[in-house]
Amino acid sequence: MENSLGKLFTVTSFGESHGQCLGAVIDGSPAGLAITKDDIQQELDQRKPDSAITSTERAELDRVEILSGISDGITTGAPICLIIWNRDVDSTEYERARFLPRPSHADYPAFVKYGGFNDFRGGGRFSGRLTAVSVMGGAIAKKILKLVNIEIIAHTINIGGITAASKGISEIKQNRPQNPLKCADPEVAGEMAKLIEAAKQQGDSLGGIIEGIAINVPVGLGEPVFGRLDSELAKALFAIPAVKGVEFGAGFSAANKRGSQNNDPIALKDSNIVTTTNNAGGILGGISNGMPIVVRVAVKPTASITEYQSTVNMKTLKSARLTIKGRHDACIVPRAVVVVESMMAITLTDLAMRAGFIPRVIK
Amino acid sequence: MENSLGKLFTVTSFGESHGQCLGAVIDGSPAGLAITKDDIQQELDQRKPDSAITSTERAELDRVEILSGISDGITTGAPICLIIWNRDVDSTEYERARFLPRPSHADYPAFVKYGGFNDFRGGGRFSGRLTAVSVMGGAIAKKILKLVNIEIIAHTINIGGITAASKGISEIKQNRPQNPLKCADPEVAGEMAKLIEAAKQQGDSLGGIIEGIAINVPVGLGEPVFGRLDSELAKALFAIPAVKGVEFGAGFSAANKRGSQNNDPIALKDSNIVTTTNNAGGILGGISNGMPIVVRVAVKPTASITEYQSTVNMKTLKSARLTIKGRHDACIVPRAVVVVESMMAITLTDLAMRAGFIPRVIK
Amino acid sequence: MENSLGKLFTVTSFGESHGQCLGAVIDGSPAGLAITKDDIQQELDQRKPDSAITSTERAELDRVEILSGISDGITTGAPICLIIWNRDVDSTEYERARFLPRPSHADYPAFVKYGGFNDFRGGGRFSGRLTAVSVMGGAIAKKILKLVNIEIIAHTINIGGITAASKGISEIKQNRPQNPLKCADPEVAGEMAKLIEAAKQQGDSLGGIIEGIAINVPVGLGEPVFGRLDSELAKALFAIPAVKGVEFGAGFSAANKRGSQNNDPIALKDSNIVTTTNNAGGILGGISNGMPIVVRVAVKPTASITEYQSTVNMKTLKSARLTIKGRHDACIVPRAVVVVESMMAITLTDLAMRAGFIPRVIK
Amino acid sequence: MENSLGKLFTVTSFGESHGQCLGAVIDGSPAGLAITKDDIQQELDQRKPDSAITSTERAELDRVEILSGISDGITTGAPICLIIWNRDVDSTEYERARFLPRPSHADYPAFVKYGGFNDFRGGGRFSGRLTAVSVMGGAIAKKILKLVNIEIIAHTINIGGITAASKGISEIKQNRPQNPLKCADPEVAGEMAKLIEAAKQQGDSLGGIIEGIAINVPVGLGEPVFGRLDSELAKALFAIPAVKGVEFGAGFSAANKRGSQNNDPIALKDSNIVTTTNNAGGILGGISNGMPIVVRVAVKPTASITEYQSTVNMKTLKSARLTIKGRHDACIVPRAVVVVESMMAITLTDLAMRAGFIPRVIK
């Protein structure tokens, strides 16, 4: 009952995992922006499982189609509808276990909330597949942000407890694209891949942490006191299934620091006011302060595992045991990296429009 | 430019730290709800610095007045305006250092965003004092939630790295109210108090972590895919100044677990479907699943410290050194506990109304 | 940049007149509602030009497809995407006169607002064809309203100055469906048809007035002071292209009456409080009062006429003369009748949900 | 439950007719705008009954106070709270007739909607006095519109069937301020005054029509297809109590015209594209076209009349007769003129911000 995100730049989501399609209606884009199907497809392709690692087995071919709002490769100012037609769908497994909620999936609360009428096949609206909708929205948003030079990059910094070494932005931009785990630390990424492979063999799964960074964000994004930049980013990021934590800058570690350690000293650099550290993660008082926006999101391990789990039949109220078959990612973290970027891009675009940074027409 | 929170139940904030008043307009409350000035005052008093500990020195006497929407102790269905008139205000220190942004305060981005016209005295709209507005809103929200038996309690679980032992809900409810640090672990709270005292002596400050719990939340709160319960809670909680991280259930630690460890087994208990663990923190797919909602927020150390800090004069663009005088909390965590409860209450009320759980008129 | 209508029940519009499709995303419908493609098609068919009269010539075959949100004929609680694929499109005429704004069309302001990037073919987003989107939304809304027994009927009461005799609701419900002009007064409808035929022969066009009625509306719809029933209805009705006036009950004629004539006496009827007249049109203080909602909308004559008109080339800024070719309705009033019903249905559904009258799940 | 109007520029209303105060929280104003208490008071004074005519007897002294958001006469970018403390209140008459709904007042639907808990004294939230809140919001909006040269003027064009002669804008601007009925046609205004006096003697009341005009509105305000300029204006204007009709340009008379008569020819004037007539009322496709915005609103006769009226006791369900004592305007039209201007100003400001015409900071 709330499938639109954003105030001036909005993304409305529709479609189901095993339904006919997944779709996004993106409203608020400036007119006159050049954007091709390929631009969007490129982003979607970042969500694809990488064959180099073993994180998934489903052969997904998410091909975007533009239904409205873009004419001859240029936005018209009208709402942009993007759609992915579903294929390769086998719902028999879901039919079979319809009344057996899978642990740590949305099955049970969704069943209660929607009276059992929700489309449960493939998780319906709660499938990770739905993130393709956000990626389509993010593709448009990234194009808009480029107008004001804002760039977003996310990368894997932890999988199953293995943590990448801290890297500078230029290194991240260089290393990440080539890495199948979207990790900027190639050595550690190798270990991560092995851990994923091992978990997979055991029918188990892994979580991790993704760091998202936005650079060249001008001072002034965020609308305090309730439309704050951190508030809006967190709202969007928690809309990614499996995200259980969001922190900015020093985040939870700030709890253990003293003010004298955590405060970011203010200094001049090339006539600009900057801070010499960035424990604030680029946000003070809910407003961007010109430093890179740095956010980390915790992704829980994939809930679908093959070992037997306890559940309860929602119809008979009898205890049951469940094993989840089918093709599932042992670790969705690498595929979620572009989703983190997309949610950041959508939010920053909306706030940039609200702050008056984006023209209504591109000339 | 965005000073309202909520969709059906909304709290609109106005007022400044050193202005005439702080005010809240609360819209959407059912008509016929009994609520007195004392009910609200009691909540506000939870924000008061406790004289037993040394966390603050400003003698604040926040007395609420009801300006509209409540007649003879009963809500009328009209918007409720609550106000606190400011007193005990000395702004000379702020006038003196007007163009010297304090590190890790909102001074610099606010100056840029509002062109220097923002009321900087006492931090203006960015002061921790503004949380009194949320507490007033939360007071109404808690009364509404009582109608459906939902209860919210938050408590301090970490100050400056000292962590309280994990306690059950009944113990938390029993211990917390009597503890000046709002901590359910009295022994550890004593150590926390000493640490605060020490930081204070050094002119330094501490952060910490607050855990918020909501019990008796029915299955079905939260409006996926973009009005999710976790999304809306995070949005509200990040609107508390100094909050740098939010996590639900296992949170960031889920990143290091395997699915087999993190999944919450589903079981029957008194004919209800429950989970035997609560790594989900009561939320699956953005919807409450009937288990307690558990959220933790990281609070950074108070940015106002007395030792000298580097800054830059925003007018002259010359480097400068700044020392912050005046009365400041060495640790605001205990006072923020009721604020966490308030933001949770406002959000749960709004979502309970959106899900159809709250009647429009109390009979 | 604002293509969604409604707060809890929302309709998001996308697509262009001569683009690939017209689409609606309808969010907020209760789960468990039976609705078929035929239900929606039936409503769309009301928008069809009637071959019995000569009001149009374009052979439109608007066939709805359900893309999401309805499974096996039952709503799932997910957003419903409905789509009409466009065909029978000839845009050459529009290409030819691209820079010559048609008088009383949106061409000129749209050109300026969207920097000339808007899809001008067939009027793009400003075409009367876009009302099909609202009709699709209205089809869902009418189904929801039926749950609480609310019924909506609109009818033509004036075309080109010819006014139908006032009829009771039962007569309207009986006569209107059979009448090609959607007029409840068959005799007068005959004259209207002749007038339309004459205007058509002259290459000219006619406007008219449609009256919309909602019955069995419970007391209490409308959210004062700014979400009033009349406010929200008017907002929706003015979103129908060509509507230039909206009035409730006595409307503009109330300006000429005395209070003693205009006030509706309050009386008892079958133990219900009613009014013996209905100058209020069923709305007092922005809230439904249990009497029929009565609204009238003025529709301007079709802007597309074949005679020569003065205009200015937007590119060269030279005066020009323009004749509009192609197939156009000489009078769109009869086809707009179902659109008026749809906008009323969407608005009443949203307000019924906000007032708590609609369950979230149909059992 | 919906007491905020606007998206980027919002006015939130609180307070009751016979409560402690009336208040407005105005959010979204640019920072750095000069605005004094007198600027706002001047607008409020336009709502005052004029002693020269006999339209009211209550000695209202609405004195505005600024509680927040304006510092030293300059907006800070924070929400502006304006308040009027109530005085001169006698509620005994209302207490006496509490369960007897007054015909054509909101008493009955409000009683049902709010379960009898609503503040009924003086009409509570439904009183005409509440329009003072809109006027306070309008005062800020007018100041903002001045930045882009937009000017708004409304005037009385009909009272009780007596119609003023049509006047040009310069004549309206010259004549209206001096006229107690806010009518630009002094002769006819004299007759109107006599009619009001006569109605008053008979304990009866009169309605009328107000025309609102906005000039220098740039092309491009309005956000189709659902945030259209006409849609948003109508929504705001119907929020004025007693308004029963709204029309733009030719309005209802367009229904009786042919396209060839109603279409506005497009021409060049001083190198600008204009129309030589303005049947569109300055709005095409929901977007301003650069011509003056012209809107007319029908105001019903004051519902409070002294002659006996039929009603029903809401508690006992027995028929009753009611006479309304106390001081009431026999015709509120002249006092509503500034309210029409205010609602127009609030709406145009919001849409001007959404279209990117208003800077966030005034330099």
Side-chain angles (χ1 to χ4, degrees):
Chain A
M1 296 241 266
E2 179 98 2
N3 292 285
S4 295
L5 181 69
K7 192 164 175 172
L8 289 189
F9 179 77
T10 64
V11 176
T12 297
S13 161
F14 65 91
E16 294 91 10
S17 180
H18 285 201
Q20 293 178 67
C21 62
L22 297 176
V25 181
I26 297 130
D27 200 7
S29 169
L33 185 69
I35 187 153
T36 66
K37 203 155 92 163
D38 281 353
D39 292 328
I40 306 163
Q41 191 60 50
Q42 240 170 58
E43 292 293 314
L44 279 173
D45 289 349
Q46 302 270 331
R47 248 191 95 257
K48 263 197 330 193
D50 193 287
S51 56
I53 59 155
T54 52
S55 66
T56 191
E57 296 170 8
R58 180 169 174 187
E60 285 181 270
L61 288 160
D62 288 344
R63 309 302 307 171
V64 67
E65 278 185 35
I66 299 172
L67 293 194
S68 69
I70 297 179
S71 184
D72 294 331
I74 307 281
T75 59
T76 63
I80 298 165
C81 184
L82 304 177
I83 207 159
I84 295 166
W85 299 105
N86 285 331
R87 1 188 155 180
D88 179 24
V89 170
D90 175 8
S91 305
T92 48
E93 188 66 20
Y94 294 92
E95 299 280 0
R96 206 179 51 79
R98 174 164 187 182
F99 297 107
L100 296 182
R102 295 164 297 161
S104 297
H105 274 282
D107 298 349
Y108 170 62
F111 181 86
V112 175
K113 185 173 183 74
Y114 303 108
F117 293 109
N118 57 302
D119 185 353
F120 56 89
R121 299 168 302 149
R125 291 288 290 163
F126 299 93
S127 165
R129 255 183 80 59
L130 261 287
T131 57
V133 174
S134 300
V135 173
M136 293 191 285
I140 308 293
K142 284 179 176 180
K143 279 278 178 183
I144 297 171
L145 291 176
K146 248 182 207 159
L147 295 169
V148 286
N149 209 25
I150 295 175
E151 219 177 308
I152 293 170
I153 189 155
H155 60 125
T156 301
I157 59 170
N158 174 335
I159 281 182
I162 299 180
T163 302
S166 180
K167 304 275 173 185
I169 288 175
S170 61
E171 220 173 337
I172 296 168
K173 285 167 80 168
Q174 197 187 321
N175 294 352
R176 200 216 72 171
Q178 305 159 26
N179 187 272
L181 292 180
K182 315 272 193 268
C183 178
D185 179 341
E187 284 104 297
V188 169
E191 294 174 52
M192 289 172 172
K194 281 180 213 154
L195 196 70
I196 294 174
E197 180 60 31
K200 188 178 158 63
Q201 295 306 329
Q202 296 156 22
D204 212 339
S205 64
L206 297 172
I209 301 177
I210 296 165
E211 183 175 75
I213 303 169
I215 56 175
N216 302 327
V217 178
V219 183
L221 262 64
E223 302 298 331
V225 296
F226 290 129
R228 291 164 58 114
L229 177 49
D230 34 11
S231 284
E232 300 290 17
L233 279 170
K235 177 177 172 167
L237 290 166
F238 274 113
I240 305 173
V243 167
K244 298 305 281 186
V246 169
E247 62 177 15
F248 296 92
F252 274 88
S253 75
N256 304 334
K257 291 188 186 173
R258 304 213 148 195
S260 54
Q261 300 165 312
N262 190 65
N263 283 2
D264 298 310
I266 299 174
L268 265 189
K269 191 181 163 187
D270 308 332
S271 305
N272 289 316
I273 294 176
V274 299
T275 60
T276 56
T277 56
N278 190 16
N279 288 314
I283 305 174
L284 287 173
I287 307 174
S288 59
N289 71 347
M291 299 298 292
I293 308 293
V294 180
V295 62
R296 276 178 302 281
V297 304
V299 179
K300 72 175 185 186
T302 314
S304 292
I305 56 175
T306 55
E307 66 180 63
Y308 274 94
Q309 298 182 84
S310 299
T311 187
V312 172
N313 187 302
M314 296 186 290
K315 223 171 173 180
T316 63
L317 284 191
K318 293 214 171 126
S319 292
R321 277 171 71 70
L322 175 83
T323 176
I324 298 172
K325 290 173 191 161
R327 302 150 304 173
H328 299 285
D329 293 313
C331 179
I332 56 118
V333 173
R335 299 181 63 192
V337 167
V338 69
V339 185
V340 166
E341 288 181 2
S342 299
M343 296 315 275
M344 290 179 73
I346 292 168
T347 305
L348 290 175
T349 300
D350 187 36
L351 287 172
M353 295 190 72
R354 285 152 76 179
F357 287 105
I358 310 287
R360 296 303 190 266
V361 173
I362 312 304
K363 281 162 195 175
Chain B
M1 295 242 267
E2 180 97 3
N3 291 285
S4 295
L5 181 69
K7 191 163 175 174
L8 288 188
F9 179 77
T10 63
V11 176
T12 298
S13 162
F14 64 90
E16 294 92 10
S17 180
H18 285 201
Q20 293 179 67
C21 63
L22 297 175
V25 180
I26 296 129
D27 201 7
S29 169
L33 184 70
I35 187 153
T36 66
K37 202 155 93 164
D38 281 355
D39 292 329
I40 307 162
Q41 190 61 49
Q42 242 170 56
E43 292 294 313
L44 279 174
D45 289 350
Q46 303 269 331
R47 251 191 94 257
K48 263 197 330 192
D50 193 287
S51 55
I53 58 155
T54 52
S55 65
T56 191
E57 295 170 8
R58 180 169 172 186
E60 284 181 89
L61 287 160
D62 287 344
R63 311 299 308 171
V64 68
E65 278 185 36
I66 299 170
L67 293 194
S68 71
I70 298 179
S71 184
D72 295 331
I74 308 281
T75 58
T76 63
I80 299 166
C81 183
L82 304 177
I83 208 161
I84 294 166
W85 299 105
N86 285 332
R87 359 187 158 180
D88 180 24
V89 170
D90 175 8
S91 305
T92 47
E93 188 64 21
Y94 295 93
E95 300 279 0
R96 207 179 51 79
R98 175 164 187 181
F99 298 106
L100 296 182
R102 295 163 299 162
S104 296
H105 275 282
D107 298 350
Y108 169 62
F111 181 86
V112 174
K113 186 174 181 72
Y114 302 107
F117 293 109
N118 58 303
D119 185 353
F120 57 90
R121 298 167 304 149
R125 291 287 292 164
F126 298 93
S127 165
R129 255 184 81 57
L130 261 287
T131 59
V133 173
S134 300
V135 173
M136 294 191 284
I140 307 293
K142 283 180 176 181
K143 280 276 177 183
I144 296 171
L145 292 175
K146 249 184 206 160
L147 294 169
V148 286
N149 209 24
I150 296 175
E151 221 176 307
I152 293 169
I153 189 155
H155 60 125
T156 301
I157 60 170
N158 174 335
I159 282 182
I162 300 180
T163 302
S166 179
K167 304 277 173 183
I169 286 175
S170 61
E171 220 174 337
I172 296 167
K173 285 166 80 168
Q174 199 187 317
N175 292 353
R176 199 216 71 171
Q178 305 159 28
N179 187 274
L181 292 180
K182 314 274 194 268
C183 178
D185 179 339
E187 284 104 295
V188 169
E191 293 174 52
M192 289 170 172
K194 281 180 211 151
L195 197 69
I196 295 174
E197 179 60 30
K200 188 178 158 61
Q201 293 306 329
Q202 296 155 23
D204 212 337
S205 65
L206 298 172
I209 300 177
I210 296 166
E211 182 175 75
I213 303 169
I215 56 176
N216 302 324
V217 178
V219 183
L221 262 64
E223 302 298 332
V225 295
F226 289 130
R228 292 165 57 114
L229 178 48
D230 34 11
S231 284
E232 299 290 15
L233 279 170
K235 177 178 171 165
L237 290 166
F238 274 113
I240 305 174
V243 167
K244 296 306 281 186
V246 168
E247 62 177 14
F248 296 92
F252 275 88
S253 75
N256 304 334
K257 292 186 185 175
R258 304 210 148 198
S260 54
Q261 300 165 311
N262 190 64
N263 283 2
D264 298 309
I266 300 173
L268 264 188
K269 191 181 164 188
D270 309 333
S271 306
N272 289 316
I273 294 177
V274 299
T275 61
T276 57
T277 55
N278 190 17
N279 287 316
I283 305 174
L284 286 172
I287 308 175
S288 59
N289 70 347
M291 300 298 293
I293 309 294
V294 179
V295 62
R296 277 177 302 282
V297 304
V299 179
K300 73 176 184 185
T302 314
S304 292
I305 56 176
T306 54
E307 63 181 66
Y308 274 95
Q309 297 181 83
S310 298
T311 188
V312 171
N313 187 302
M314 296 186 289
K315 225 171 172 179
T316 62
L317 283 191
K318 294 216 168 121
S319 291
R321 279 174 70 69
L322 174 83
T323 175
I324 297 172
K325 290 175 191 160
R327 300 149 308 172
H328 298 285
D329 293 312
C331 178
I332 57 116
V333 173
R335 300 181 63 190
V337 167
V338 69
V339 184
V340 167
E341 289 182 2
S342 298
M343 297 315 274
M344 290 179 72
I346 291 167
T347 304
L348 290 174
T349 299
D350 187 36
L351 286 171
M353 296 190 72
R354 284 153 73 177
F357 287 105
I358 309 286
R360 295 305 189 266
V361 173
I362 312 306
K363 280 165 193 170
Chain C
M1 295 240 268
E2 179 99 1
N3 292 284
S4 295
L5 181 68
K7 190 163 176 174
L8 289 188
F9 180 77
T10 62
V11 176
T12 298
S13 162
F14 64 90
E16 294 91 9
S17 181
H18 284 201
Q20 293 179 66
C21 63
L22 297 175
V25 181
I26 297 130
D27 200 7
S29 168
L33 186 70
I35 187 152
T36 66
K37 203 155 93 164
D38 281 354
D39 292 329
I40 307 162
Q41 190 61 50
Q42 241 169 57
E43 292 293 314
L44 279 174
D45 289 348
Q46 303 271 330
R47 251 191 93 255
K48 265 198 327 194
D50 193 287
S51 56
I53 58 157
T54 53
S55 65
T56 191
E57 295 170 8
R58 179 168 173 186
E60 284 181 272
L61 286 160
D62 287 345
R63 310 301 306 170
V64 68
E65 278 186 36
I66 298 172
L67 293 194
S68 70
I70 297 179
S71 184
D72 294 331
I74 308 282
T75 60
T76 64
I80 299 164
C81 183
L82 304 176
I83 208 159
I84 295 167
W85 299 105
N86 284 332
R87 355 182 163 187
D88 179 24
V89 170
D90 175 10
S91 305
T92 47
E93 188 64 23
Y94 294 93
E95 298 281 0
R96 205 179 50 80
R98 174 164 187 181
F99 298 107
L100 296 182
R102 295 164 298 162
S104 297
H105 275 282
D107 299 349
Y108 169 61
F111 181 86
V112 175
K113 186 173 182 74
Y114 304 107
F117 293 109
N118 58 303
D119 184 353
F120 57 88
R121 300 166 301 149
R125 292 286 292 163
F126 299 93
S127 164
R129 255 184 79 60
L130 262 286
T131 58
V133 174
S134 301
V135 173
M136 293 192 284
I140 308 292
K142 282 179 176 180
K143 279 278 176 181
I144 297 171
L145 292 175
K146 246 184 208 160
L147 296 169
V148 286
N149 210 24
I150 296 176
E151 220 175 306
I152 293 171
I153 189 155
H155 59 126
T156 301
I157 60 171
N158 174 335
I159 282 182
I162 299 181
T163 302
S166 180
K167 303 278 173 184
I169 286 174
S170 62
E171 221 173 336
I172 296 167
K173 284 166 79 166
Q174 199 188 317
N175 292 353
R176 199 218 72 171
Q178 305 160 25
N179 187 275
L181 292 180
K182 314 273 194 268
C183 178
D185 179 341
E187 284 104 297
V188 169
E191 294 173 52
M192 290 171 172
K194 280 179 213 155
L195 197 68
I196 294 173
E197 179 60 31
K200 187 179 159 61
Q201 295 305 330
Q202 296 155 23
D204 212 338
S205 64
L206 297 172
I209 300 177
I210 296 165
E211 182 175 75
I213 303 170
I215 57 175
N216 302 325
V217 178
V219 182
L221 263 63
E223 303 298 332
V225 298
F226 290 129
R228 292 165 57 115
L229 177 48
D230 34 11
S231 284
E232 300 289 16
L233 280 170
K235 176 177 173 167
L237 291 166
F238 275 113
I240 305 172
V243 167
K244 298 305 281 185
V246 168
E247 62 176 15
F248 297 92
F252 274 88
S253 76
N256 304 334
K257 291 187 186 174
R258 304 211 148 197
S260 55
Q261 300 165 313
N262 189 65
N263 284 1
D264 298 308
I266 300 173
L268 265 189
K269 190 181 163 188
D270 309 331
S271 305
N272 289 316
I273 293 177
V274 299
T275 61
T276 56
T277 56
N278 189 17
N279 288 315
I283 305 173
L284 286 173
I287 308 173
S288 59
N289 70 348
M291 300 298 293
I293 309 294
V294 180
V295 61
R296 275 177 304 279
V297 305
V299 179
K300 74 176 184 184
T302 314
S304 292
I305 56 175
T306 55
E307 64 181 66
Y308 274 95
Q309 299 181 84
S310 299
T311 188
V312 171
N313 187 301
M314 297 186 289
K315 224 172 173 179
T316 62
L317 284 190
K318 293 215 169 122
S319 292
R321 277 171 73 68
L322 175 83
T323 175
I324 297 172
K325 289 174 191 160
R327 302 148 305 173
H328 299 284
D329 293 313
C331 179
I332 57 117
V333 173
R335 299 181 64 191
V337 167
V338 69
V339 185
V340 167
E341 289 182 2
S342 298
M343 297 315 275
M344 290 180 72
I346 291 168
T347 305
L348 289 175
T349 300
D350 187 36
L351 286 172
M353 296 191 71
R354 284 153 74 178
F357 287 105
I358 309 287
R360 295 305 189 269
V361 174
I362 312 304
K363 281 163 192 172
Chain D
M1 296 242 266
E2 180 97 3
N3 291 284
S4 295
L5 181 68
K7 192 163 175 174
L8 288 188
F9 179 77
T10 63
V11 176
T12 298
S13 161
F14 64 91
E16 293 93 9
S17 180
H18 284 200
Q20 292 178 67
C21 62
L22 297 175
V25 181
I26 297 129
D27 201 6
S29 168
L33 185 69
I35 187 153
T36 66
K37 203 154 94 163
D38 280 354
D39 291 328
I40 307 162
Q41 190 61 49
Q42 240 169 57
E43 291 294 312
L44 280 173
D45 290 348
Q46 303 269 330
R47 249 191 94 256
K48 264 198 327 192
D50 193 289
S51 55
I53 59 153
T54 53
S55 65
T56 192
E57 296 171 6
R58 180 169 173 185
E60 286 182 90
L61 288 160
D62 288 344
R63 310 301 306 171
V64 68
E65 278 186 35
I66 298 171
L67 293 194
S68 71
I70 297 179
S71 185
D72 294 331
I74 307 281
T75 59
T76 63
I80 298 166
C81 183
L82 304 177
I83 207 160
I84 296 167
W85 299 104
N86 284 333
R87 353 184 163 185
D88 179 25
V89 170
D90 175 10
S91 305
T92 48
E93 188 64 21
Y94 294 94
E95 299 280 359
R96 208 179 49 79
R98 173 163 187 183
F99 298 107
L100 295 183
R102 294 164 298 163
S104 296
H105 275 282
D107 298 350
Y108 169 62
F111 181 86
V112 174
K113 186 173 182 74
Y114 303 107
F117 293 109
N118 58 304
D119 185 352
F120 56 90
R121 299 167 303 149
R125 291 287 292 164
F126 299 93
S127 165
R129 255 184 81 57
L130 261 287
T131 56
V133 173
S134 301
V135 173
M136 293 191 286
I140 307 293
K142 284 179 176 181
K143 279 278 176 181
I144 296 171
L145 292 176
K146 248 183 208 161
L147 295 169
V148 285
N149 209 24
I150 296 175
E151 219 177 308
I152 293 170
I153 189 155
H155 60 125
T156 301
I157 60 170
N158 173 335
I159 282 182
I162 300 180
T163 302
S166 179
K167 304 278 174 182
I169 286 174
S170 60
E171 219 172 338
I172 296 167
K173 285 168 80 167
Q174 197 187 321
N175 292 353
R176 199 216 73 171
Q178 305 159 26
N179 187 271
L181 292 180
K182 316 271 194 267
C183 179
D185 179 340
E187 284 104 297
V188 169
E191 292 174 53
M192 290 171 172
K194 280 179 212 154
L195 198 68
I196 295 174
E197 179 61 31
K200 187 178 159 62
Q201 293 305 330
Q202 295 156 22
D204 213 338
S205 64
L206 297 172
I209 301 177
I210 296 165
E211 183 175 75
I213 302 168
I215 55 175
N216 302 327
V217 178
V219 183
L221 263 64
E223 302 298 330
V225 295
F226 290 130
R228 291 164 57 112
L229 177 49
D230 35 11
S231 284
E232 300 290 16
L233 279 171
K235 177 178 173 167
L237 291 166
F238 274 114
I240 305 173
V243 167
K244 298 304 281 184
V246 168
E247 62 177 14
F248 296 91
F252 275 88
S253 76
N256 304 335
K257 292 186 186 173
R258 303 210 148 198
S260 55
Q261 300 165 311
N262 189 64
N263 283 1
D264 299 309
I266 299 173
L268 265 189
K269 191 182 163 187
D270 307 333
S271 305
N272 290 316
I273 294 177
V274 299
T275 61
T276 56
T277 55
N278 190 15
N279 288 315
I283 305 175
L284 286 173
I287 308 174
S288 59
N289 70 348
M291 299 298 292
I293 309 293
V294 180
V295 61
R296 276 177 303 282
V297 304
V299 179
K300 74 176 183 184
T302 314
S304 293
I305 56 176
T306 56
E307 64 180 64
Y308 274 94
Q309 297 181 84
S310 297
T311 188
V312 172
N313 186 302
M314 296 186 289
K315 223 172 175 179
T316 63
L317 284 190
K318 293 215 170 122
S319 291
R321 278 173 71 69
L322 174 84
T323 176
I324 296 171
K325 289 174 191 161
R327 301 150 304 175
H328 298 285
D329 292 313
C331 179
I332 56 117
V333 173
R335 298 182 64 191
V337 167
V338 69
V339 184
V340 167
E341 289 181 1
S342 299
M343 297 315 275
M344 290 179 73
I346 291 168
T347 304
L348 290 175
T349 300
D350 186 36
L351 286 172
M353 295 191 72
R354 285 152 74 178
F357 287 104
I358 309 286
R360 295 305 189 267
V361 173
I362 312 305
K363 281 163 192 171

